Each structure stands twice: as C-alpha cells, then as structure tokens.
Amino acid sequence: MLKIFKIGGGIIDNQQELEQFLKTFSTIEGPKVLIHGGGKGASKMLNQLGIEPKMVDGRRITDKATLEVVTGLYAGNINKNIVSTLQKFGCNALGLSGADGNAIRGSKRSVKVIDYGFVGDLTENSINTKLFQLLIDQGITPIVCAITHDGNGLLLNTNADTIASTIAVALATKNEIELNFVFDKIGVLRDINDDSTLIPKINENLYLQLKEEGVIFEGMIPKLDNSFNVIKSGVKNVCLVHAQNINSDIKTILC
C-alpha cells in the first residue's frame, strides 16, 4: 500500500512536533509521499517585509510580492528542512515543487467574485504520475510543497489539501492508496473536548447522520466531503490522524 500524508501549519509551526512527526514518518515501511503546507511563517515573513497578508474565508490572496515570499518559504526553507531532517533519520527524500520535473501543473484561478491572484487550481490530469511512480519505485520519498506551475513559467500558490487529494487519486490507478490528513486532533470526535469519544470508522451513511446530528460541523464538513469524493475516485481509504499517532491505530478511517 502507498501511504500519502498531508501535514498542515499546526505541525510545521512547532519545530519540536515537526521533528517528532518526521522521525515517526521515517519509520513507516513501504512507499510513502508527504505533502506540506506553509503554516503561519508566510504571514510572519510578509509582516516583517511590510506586506500586509490578505485572507478571504481562510484562503490567502496571493499577489506578486506574496507569491515570491511563499515560494521561497514553502519550496525553499520549509521543504529543504523537512528533506534534510528525513535524511538524518535514514529516509531518502526528494523535495519537489510542482515545477520540478513538471510534477504538478495547475492553472491560474479565474477571477469571479474574488481575485485570488497567483493561486492554482488542479484537475485530474495535473499530476505527473510517471515521475511520482518512478521515484516511489526507486525507494525515494517525494516531499511536495504547496507551489505548482502552469507550464508557461508561472508559479502558483496551491492548496496543500487539494494537492494531496489530487496526487492520491492520480496514483490510485496503479497503487492501493491510503491518504492521511494529519492534524491536531486524534480523529473525528463525538465530543470535540473528549478524546475518548473518537469515532474509529465512518462510512458515507454514518457521515451524513453525524452531520445531521451536528457532531460534524463547520470546517470539518468540506474536509470530509472532499475525503469521500476521493474514495469514490479510487482511493481505498482516508484517515484523519494526530501527528503523534501516524504509526498507530488511533485514528478515524473514512471508507
């Protein structure tokens, strides 16, 4: 089974937690891929440079100056620190932006109500599956940042969850795929403040029931909607798991 992991800002912003996660990640046997976002570092750096970060509904507006900053941070500092840490733990990793090896090609988001600037959208044909399969078959672990390109010299800031889901579906044509969204909870909880209420397995019927009961709400809805769409597109299962538990059975499995 090919295991794909996506980590977000909560882990990236905590150096100690990130290193512990990478140490555990390196011990997972078999082929694997890691996709990472950027955390709060981009907004911090923008403020230091006198550039006001702009967000709409949690999504970053990426103008030219912001694109330069996030590219340097995501594809440079964060990505290479992750790769070098994994090398320390004996995991042979290769850092990639979407432009490297034409790994991920997107298109600049069209302007509708909001102009998101240099933000990329993906399709099912965006992933260079031959490149990823070649690396995986050679025992190399791809470490993918949230920067893609359009094939015409333009880099694009792209949502890391979207990248992870699109890679998972693309590679599912030749692999049995488990997609893991790693975050700051142990999984889906009936009571968000009580870890003992973990729901270990959720199918689509139970998900609809939990939504109706208000157990799953707000920001979790689009993440789970997307997860079940990924499963319908050929991914075997999707896991929601805490960074400390990626090598254990403490998680929620969507199937």
Coordinates of all heavy atoms in Angstrom, one line a residue, residues 147-222:
I147 N 3.4 24.7 -3.9 CA 3.7 25.5 -5.1 C 3.6 24.7 -6.3 O 4.3 23.7 -6.5 CB 5.1 26.2 -5.0 CG1 5.2 27.1 -3.7 CG2 5.3 27.0 -6.2 CD1 4.2 28.3 -3.7
T148 N 2.8 25.1 -7.3 CA 2.7 24.4 -8.6 C 3.1 25.3 -9.7 O 3.6 26.4 -9.4 CB 1.2 23.8 -8.8 OG1 0.3 24.9 -8.9 CG2 0.8 22.9 -7.7
H149 N 2.9 24.9 -10.9 CA 3.2 25.8 -12.1 C 2.2 25.6 -13.2 O 1.5 24.6 -13.2 CB 4.6 25.6 -12.5 CG 4.8 24.4 -13.4 ND1 5.4 24.4 -14.7 CD2 4.4 23.1 -13.2 CE1 5.4 23.2 -15.2 NE2 4.8 22.4 -14.4
D150 N 2.2 26.5 -14.1 CA 1.2 26.5 -15.2 C 1.8 26.0 -16.6 O 1.0 25.9 -17.6 CB 0.5 27.8 -15.4 CG 1.3 28.9 -16.0 OD1 2.6 28.7 -16.1 OD2 0.8 29.9 -16.5
G151 N 3.0 25.7 -16.6 CA 3.7 25.2 -17.8 C 4.1 26.4 -18.7 O 4.8 26.2 -19.8
N152 N 3.8 27.6 -18.3 CA 4.3 28.8 -19.1 C 5.1 29.7 -18.3 O 5.2 30.9 -18.5 CB 3.0 29.5 -19.6 CG 2.3 28.8 -20.6 OD1 2.8 28.4 -21.7 ND2 1.0 28.5 -20.4
G153 N 5.8 29.1 -17.3 CA 6.7 29.9 -16.5 C 6.2 30.6 -15.3 O 6.8 31.3 -14.6
L154 N 4.9 30.3 -15.0 CA 4.2 31.0 -13.9 C 4.1 30.0 -12.7 O 3.5 28.9 -12.8 CB 2.8 31.5 -14.3 CG 2.0 32.3 -13.2 CD1 2.8 33.6 -12.9 CD2 0.6 32.6 -13.8
L155 N 4.6 30.4 -11.5 CA 4.4 29.6 -10.3 C 3.1 30.0 -9.7 O 2.6 31.1 -9.8 CB 5.5 29.9 -9.3 CG 6.9 29.4 -9.8 CD1 8.0 29.9 -8.8 CD2 7.0 27.9 -9.9
L156 N 2.5 29.0 -9.0 CA 1.1 29.2 -8.4 C 1.1 28.7 -7.0 O 1.5 27.5 -6.7 CB 0.1 28.5 -9.3 CG 0.0 29.0 -10.7 CD1 -0.8 28.0 -11.6 CD2 -0.7 30.4 -10.7
N157 N 0.5 29.5 -6.1 CA 0.3 29.0 -4.7 C -1.0 28.1 -4.7 O -2.1 28.6 -5.2 CB 0.0 30.3 -3.8 CG -0.1 29.9 -2.3 OD1 0.2 28.8 -1.9 ND2 -0.6 30.9 -1.6
T158 N -0.9 26.9 -4.2 CA -2.0 25.9 -4.4 C -2.3 25.2 -3.1 O -1.3 24.9 -2.3 CB -1.6 24.9 -5.5 OG1 -1.3 25.6 -6.7 CG2 -2.7 23.9 -5.7
N159 N -3.5 25.1 -2.8 CA -3.9 24.5 -1.5 C -3.3 23.1 -1.3 O -3.5 22.2 -2.2 CB -5.5 24.4 -1.5 CG -6.0 23.8 -0.2 OD1 -6.2 22.6 -0.1 ND2 -6.3 24.7 0.8
A160 N -2.7 22.9 -0.2 CA -2.0 21.6 0.1 C -3.0 20.4 0.2 O -2.6 19.3 -0.2 CB -1.1 21.7 1.3
D161 N -4.1 20.6 0.8 CA -5.1 19.6 0.8 C -5.5 19.1 -0.6 O -5.7 17.9 -0.9 CB -6.4 20.0 1.6 CG -6.3 20.0 3.1 OD1 -5.2 19.6 3.6 OD2 -7.2 20.3 3.8
T162 N -5.7 20.1 -1.5 CA -6.1 19.8 -2.9 C -5.0 19.0 -3.5 O -5.2 18.1 -4.3 CB -6.4 21.1 -3.6 OG1 -7.4 21.8 -3.0 CG2 -6.7 20.8 -5.1
I163 N -3.7 19.4 -3.3 CA -2.6 18.7 -3.9 C -2.6 17.3 -3.4 O -2.4 16.3 -4.2 CB -1.3 19.4 -3.5 CG1 -1.2 20.7 -4.3 CG2 -0.1 18.5 -3.9 CD1 0.1 21.6 -3.9
A164 N -2.7 17.1 -2.1 CA -2.7 15.7 -1.5 C -3.8 14.8 -2.1 O -3.6 13.7 -2.5 CB -2.8 15.8 0.0
S165 N -5.0 15.4 -2.2 CA -6.1 14.6 -2.8 C -5.9 14.3 -4.2 O -6.2 13.1 -4.7 CB -7.4 15.4 -2.6 OG -7.7 15.6 -1.2
T166 N -5.4 15.2 -5.0 CA -5.2 15.0 -6.4 C -4.1 14.0 -6.7 O -4.2 13.2 -7.6 CB -4.9 16.4 -7.1 OG1 -5.9 17.4 -6.8 CG2 -5.0 16.2 -8.7
I167 N -3.0 14.1 -5.9 CA -2.0 13.1 -6.0 C -2.5 11.7 -5.7 O -2.2 10.7 -6.4 CB -0.8 13.4 -5.1 CG1 0.0 14.7 -5.7 CG2 0.2 12.2 -5.0 CD1 1.1 15.2 -4.8
A168 N -3.3 11.6 -4.6 CA -3.8 10.3 -4.2 C -4.7 9.7 -5.3 O -4.6 8.5 -5.6 CB -4.7 10.5 -2.9
V169 N -5.6 10.4 -5.9 CA -6.5 9.9 -6.9 C -5.6 9.5 -8.2 O -5.9 8.5 -8.8 CB -7.5 11.0 -7.3 CG1 -8.3 10.5 -8.5 CG2 -8.5 11.2 -6.1
A170 N -4.7 10.4 -8.5 CA -3.8 10.1 -9.7 C -3.1 8.8 -9.5 O -3.0 7.9 -10.5 CB -2.9 11.2 -10.0
L171 N -2.5 8.6 -8.4 CA -1.7 7.4 -8.1 C -2.5 6.1 -7.8 O -2.0 5.0 -7.8 CB -0.7 7.6 -7.0 CG 0.4 8.7 -7.3 CD1 1.3 8.9 -6.1 CD2 1.3 8.3 -8.5
A172 N -3.8 6.3 -7.6 CA -4.7 5.2 -7.3 C -4.9 4.3 -8.5 O -5.4 3.2 -8.4 CB -6.0 5.7 -6.7
T173 N -4.6 4.8 -9.7 CA -4.7 4.0 -10.9 C -3.8 2.8 -10.9 O -4.1 1.8 -11.5 CB -4.5 4.8 -12.2 OG1 -3.2 5.4 -12.1 CG2 -5.6 5.9 -12.2
K174 N -2.6 2.9 -10.2 CA -1.6 1.8 -10.2 C -1.3 1.4 -8.8 O -0.4 0.5 -8.6 CB -0.4 2.3 -10.9 CG -0.6 2.5 -12.4 CD 0.7 2.7 -13.1 CE 0.5 2.8 -14.6 NZ 1.8 3.0 -15.3
N175 N -1.8 2.0 -7.8 CA -1.5 1.6 -6.4 C -2.7 1.6 -5.5 O -3.7 2.2 -5.8 CB -0.6 2.7 -5.8 CG 0.7 2.9 -6.6 OD1 1.7 2.3 -6.4 ND2 0.6 3.9 -7.5
E176 N -2.6 0.8 -4.4 CA -3.6 0.8 -3.4 C -3.2 2.0 -2.5 O -2.1 2.0 -1.9 CB -3.7 -0.5 -2.6 CG -4.8 -0.6 -1.6 CD -4.8 -1.9 -0.9 OE1 -3.8 -2.3 -0.3 OE2 -5.8 -2.6 -1.1
I177 N -4.1 3.0 -2.3 CA -3.8 4.2 -1.7 C -4.5 4.4 -0.3 O -5.7 4.3 -0.2 CB -4.1 5.5 -2.6 CG1 -3.4 5.4 -3.9 CG2 -3.8 6.8 -1.9 CD1 -1.9 5.6 -3.8
E178 N -3.7 4.9 0.7 CA -4.2 5.4 1.9 C -3.8 6.8 2.0 O -2.6 7.1 2.1 CB -3.7 4.6 3.1 CG -4.2 5.1 4.5 CD -3.6 4.3 5.6 OE1 -4.1 3.3 6.0 OE2 -2.6 4.8 6.2
L179 N -4.8 7.7 2.1 CA -4.5 9.1 2.3 C -4.7 9.6 3.7 O -5.8 9.3 4.3 CB -5.4 9.9 1.3 CG -5.4 11.5 1.4 CD1 -4.0 12.0 1.2 CD2 -6.4 12.1 0.5
N180 N -3.7 10.2 4.3 CA -3.8 10.6 5.7 C -3.7 12.1 5.8 O -2.7 12.7 5.4 CB -2.6 10.0 6.5 CG -2.6 8.5 6.6 OD1 -3.2 7.9 7.5 ND2 -2.1 7.8 5.6
F181 N -4.7 12.7 6.4 CA -4.7 14.1 6.8 C -4.3 14.2 8.2 O -5.0 13.7 9.1 CB -6.1 14.7 6.5 CG -6.4 14.9 5.1 CD1 -7.4 14.2 4.5 CD2 -5.7 15.9 4.3 CE1 -7.7 14.3 3.1 CE2 -6.0 16.1 3.0 CZ -7.0 15.3 2.4
V182 N -3.1 14.8 8.5 CA -2.5 14.8 9.8 C -2.8 16.2 10.4 O -2.5 17.2 9.9 CB -1.0 14.5 9.7 CG1 -0.4 14.5 11.1 CG2 -0.7 13.3 9.0
F183 N -3.5 16.1 11.6 CA -3.9 17.4 12.2 C -3.8 17.3 13.7 O -3.1 16.4 14.2 CB -5.2 17.9 11.7 CG -6.4 17.1 12.0 CD1 -7.6 17.8 12.3 CD2 -6.4 15.7 12.1 CE1 -8.8 17.1 12.6 CE2 -7.5 15.0 12.4 CZ -8.7 15.7 12.7
D184 N -4.4 18.3 14.4 CA -4.1 18.4 15.9 C -5.2 17.7 16.7 O -5.2 17.9 17.9 CB -4.1 19.9 16.3 CG -5.3 20.6 15.9 OD1 -6.2 20.0 15.3 OD2 -5.4 21.8 16.3
K185 N -6.0 16.8 16.1 CA -7.0 16.0 16.8 C -6.6 14.5 16.5 O -6.0 14.2 15.5 CB -8.4 16.3 16.5 CG -8.9 17.7 16.9 CD -9.0 17.9 18.4 CE -9.5 19.3 18.7 NZ -9.6 19.4 20.2
I186 N -7.1 13.6 17.4 CA -6.8 12.2 17.1 C -7.7 11.6 16.1 O -7.5 10.5 15.7 CB -6.9 11.4 18.4 CG1 -8.3 11.4 19.0 CG2 -5.9 11.9 19.5 CD1 -8.5 10.4 20.2
G187 N -8.7 12.4 15.6 CA -9.6 11.9 14.6 C -10.9 12.7 14.8 O -11.0 13.8 15.3
V188 N -12.0 12.1 14.3 CA -13.4 12.7 14.5 C -13.9 12.3 15.8 O -13.9 11.1 16.1 CB -14.3 12.2 13.3 CG1 -15.7 12.8 13.6 CG2 -13.8 12.6 12.0
L189 N -14.3 13.3 16.6 CA -14.8 13.0 18.0 C -16.2 13.4 18.1 O -16.7 14.4 17.5 CB -14.0 13.9 19.0 CG -12.4 13.8 18.9 CD1 -11.8 14.8 19.9 CD2 -12.0 12.4 19.3
R190 N -17.0 12.6 18.8 CA -18.4 12.9 19.1 C -18.5 14.2 20.0 O -19.4 15.0 19.9 CB -19.1 11.7 19.8 CG -19.5 10.6 18.8 CD -20.4 9.6 19.4 NE -20.8 8.6 18.4 CZ -21.8 8.7 17.5 NH1 -22.5 9.8 17.5 NH2 -22.0 7.8 16.7
D191 N -17.5 14.3 20.9 CA -17.4 15.4 21.8 C -16.0 16.0 21.5 O -15.0 15.3 21.8 CB -17.5 15.1 23.2 CG -17.4 16.3 24.2 OD1 -16.9 17.3 23.7 OD2 -17.7 16.1 25.4
I192 N -15.9 17.2 20.9 CA -14.6 17.7 20.5 C -13.6 17.9 21.6 O -12.4 18.0 21.4 CB -14.8 19.1 19.7 CG1 -13.6 19.4 18.9 CG2 -15.2 20.2 20.7 CD1 -13.8 20.6 17.9
N193 N -14.1 17.9 22.8 CA -13.2 18.1 24.0 C -12.9 16.8 24.8 O -12.3 16.8 25.8 CB -13.9 19.1 25.0 CG -14.1 20.5 24.4 OD1 -13.2 21.0 23.8 ND2 -15.3 21.0 24.5
D194 N -13.3 15.7 24.2 CA -13.1 14.4 24.9 C -12.6 13.4 23.9 O -13.3 12.8 23.1 CB -14.5 13.9 25.4 CG -14.4 12.7 26.3 OD1 -13.3 12.1 26.3 OD2 -15.4 12.2 26.9
D195 N -11.3 13.1 24.0 CA -10.6 12.1 23.1 C -11.2 10.7 23.2 O -11.0 9.9 22.3 CB -9.1 12.1 23.4 CG -8.4 13.3 22.8 OD1 -9.0 14.1 22.2 OD2 -7.2 13.4 23.1
S196 N -11.9 10.4 24.3 CA -12.4 9.0 24.5 C -13.6 8.8 23.6 O -14.1 7.7 23.5 CB -12.8 8.8 26.0 OG -14.0 9.6 26.3
T197 N -14.1 9.9 22.9 CA -15.3 9.8 22.1 C -14.9 9.6 20.6 O -15.7 9.9 19.7 CB -16.2 11.0 22.2 OG1 -15.5 12.2 21.8 CG2 -16.6 11.2 23.7
L198 N -13.6 9.2 20.3 CA -13.2 9.0 19.0 C -14.1 8.0 18.2 O -14.5 7.0 18.7 CB -11.7 8.4 19.0 CG -11.1 8.0 17.7 CD1 -10.8 9.2 16.8 CD2 -9.9 7.1 17.9
I199 N -14.4 8.4 17.0 CA -15.2 7.5 16.1 C -14.2 6.9 15.2 O -13.6 7.5 14.3 CB -16.2 8.3 15.3 CG1 -17.1 9.1 16.2 CG2 -17.1 7.3 14.5 CD1 -18.0 10.1 15.5
P200 N -13.9 5.6 15.4 CA -12.8 4.9 14.6 C -13.0 4.7 13.1 O -12.1 4.7 12.4 CB -12.6 3.6 15.3 CG -13.9 3.3 16.0 CD -14.5 4.7 16.3
K201 N -14.3 4.6 12.7 CA -14.6 4.3 11.3 C -15.9 5.0 10.9 O -16.9 4.9 11.7 CB -14.6 2.8 11.1 CG -14.7 2.4 9.6 CD -14.5 0.9 9.4 CE -13.1 0.5 9.6 NZ -12.8 -0.9 9.2
I202 N -15.8 5.6 9.8 CA -17.0 6.3 9.3 C -17.2 6.0 7.8 O -16.3 6.3 7.0 CB -16.9 7.9 9.5 CG1 -16.7 8.2 11.0 CG2 -18.1 8.6 8.9 CD1 -16.5 9.7 11.2
N203 N -18.4 5.5 7.5 CA -18.7 5.4 6.1 C -19.6 6.5 5.7 O -20.0 7.4 6.6 CB -19.4 4.0 5.7 CG -20.7 3.8 6.5 OD1 -21.4 4.8 7.0 ND2 -21.1 2.5 6.8
E204 N -20.0 6.6 4.4 CA -20.8 7.8 4.0 C -22.1 8.0 4.7 O -22.6 9.1 5.0 CB -20.9 7.8 2.5 CG -21.4 9.2 2.0 CD -21.2 9.3 0.5 OE1 -21.1 8.3 -0.2 OE2 -21.2 10.5 0.0
N205 N -22.8 6.8 4.9 CA -24.1 6.9 5.6 C -24.0 7.4 7.0 O -24.8 8.3 7.4 CB -24.8 5.5 5.6 CG -25.3 5.1 4.2 OD1 -25.6 5.9 3.4 ND2 -25.4 3.8 4.0
L206 N -23.0 7.0 7.7 CA -22.8 7.4 9.1 C -22.4 8.9 9.1 O -22.8 9.7 9.9 CB -21.7 6.6 9.8 CG -21.3 7.0 11.2 CD1 -22.5 7.1 12.1 CD2 -20.2 6.1 11.8
Y207 N -21.6 9.3 8.1 CA -21.2 10.7 7.9 C -22.4 11.6 7.8 O -22.5 12.6 8.5 CB -20.2 10.8 6.8 CG -19.9 12.3 6.4 CD1 -19.5 13.2 7.3 CD2 -20.1 12.7 5.0 CE1 -19.3 14.5 6.9 CE2 -19.8 14.0 4.7 CZ -19.4 14.9 5.6 OH -19.2 16.2 5.2
L208 N -23.3 11.2 6.9 CA -24.5 12.0 6.7 C -25.3 12.1 8.0 O -25.9 13.2 8.3 CB -25.3 11.5 5.6 CG -24.7 11.5 4.2 CD1 -25.6 10.7 3.2 CD2 -24.5 12.9 3.7
Q209 N -25.3 11.0 8.8 CA -26.1 11.0 10.0 C -25.4 11.9 11.1 O -26.0 12.7 11.8 CB -26.1 9.6 10.6 CG -26.8 9.4 11.9 CD -26.7 8.0 12.5 OE1 -26.7 7.1 11.7 NE2 -26.6 7.9 13.8
L210 N -24.0 11.9 11.1 CA -23.3 12.7 12.1 C -23.4 14.2 11.7 O -23.5 15.1 12.6 CB -21.8 12.3 12.1 CG -21.5 10.9 12.7 CD1 -20.1 10.5 12.4 CD2 -21.8 10.9 14.2
K211 N -23.5 14.5 10.4 CA -23.7 15.9 10.0 C -25.1 16.4 10.5 O -25.2 17.5 11.0 CB -23.6 16.0 8.5 CG -22.3 16.4 8.0 CD -22.3 17.1 6.6 CE -22.9 16.3 5.5 NZ -22.7 16.9 4.2
E212 N -26.1 15.5 10.3 CA -27.5 15.9 10.7 C -27.6 16.1 12.2 O -28.3 17.0 12.7 CB -28.4 14.8 10.2 CG -29.9 15.2 10.3 CD -30.8 14.1 9.6 OE1 -30.4 13.6 8.6 OE2 -31.9 13.9 10.2
E213 N -26.8 15.3 12.9 CA -26.8 15.4 14.4 C -26.0 16.6 14.9 O -26.0 16.9 16.1 CB -26.3 14.1 15.0 CG -27.2 12.9 14.8 CD -26.5 11.6 15.3 OE1 -25.3 11.7 15.8 OE2 -27.1 10.6 15.2
G214 N -25.2 17.2 14.0 CA -24.4 18.4 14.4 C -23.1 17.9 15.0 O -22.3 18.8 15.6
V215 N -22.7 16.6 15.0 CA -21.5 16.2 15.5 C -20.3 16.6 14.6 O -19.3 17.1 15.1 CB -21.4 14.6 15.6 CG1 -20.1 14.1 16.0 CG2 -22.5 14.1 16.6
I216 N -20.5 16.6 13.3 CA -19.6 17.1 12.4 C -20.1 18.4 11.8 O -21.2 18.5 11.3 CB -19.3 16.1 11.2 CG1 -18.7 14.8 11.8 CG2 -18.5 16.7 10.1 CD1 -18.6 13.7 10.8
F217 N -19.3 19.5 11.9 CA -19.8 20.8 11.5 C -18.7 21.7 11.1 O -17.5 21.4 11.2 CB -20.6 21.5 12.7 CG -19.7 21.6 14.0 CD1 -19.1 22.8 14.2 CD2 -19.6 20.5 14.9 CE1 -18.3 22.9 15.4 CE2 -18.8 20.6 16.0 CZ -18.2 21.8 16.3
E218 N -19.1 22.9 10.5 CA -18.1 23.9 10.1 C -17.0 23.4 9.3 O -17.2 22.8 8.3 CB -17.6 24.7 11.4 CG -18.7 25.5 12.1 CD -18.2 26.2 13.3 OE1 -17.1 26.0 13.7 OE2 -19.0 27.0 13.9
G219 N -15.7 23.7 9.7 CA -14.6 23.4 8.9 C -14.4 21.9 8.5 O -13.7 21.6 7.6
M220 N -14.9 21.0 9.3 CA -14.7 19.6 9.1 C -15.6 19.1 7.9 O -15.2 18.1 7.3 CB -15.1 18.8 10.3 CG -14.0 18.8 11.4 SD -12.4 18.2 10.9 CE -12.8 16.4 10.7
I221 N -16.7 19.8 7.6 CA -17.6 19.3 6.5 C -16.9 19.3 5.2 O -16.9 18.3 4.5 CB -18.9 20.2 6.5 CG1 -19.7 19.8 7.8 CG2 -19.7 19.9 5.2 CD1 -20.9 20.6 7.9
P222 N -16.2 20.5 4.7 CA -15.6 20.4 3.4 C -14.4 19.4 3.4 O -14.2 18.7 2.3 CB -15.0 21.8 3.2 CG -15.1 22.5 4.5 CD -16.2 21.8 5.3

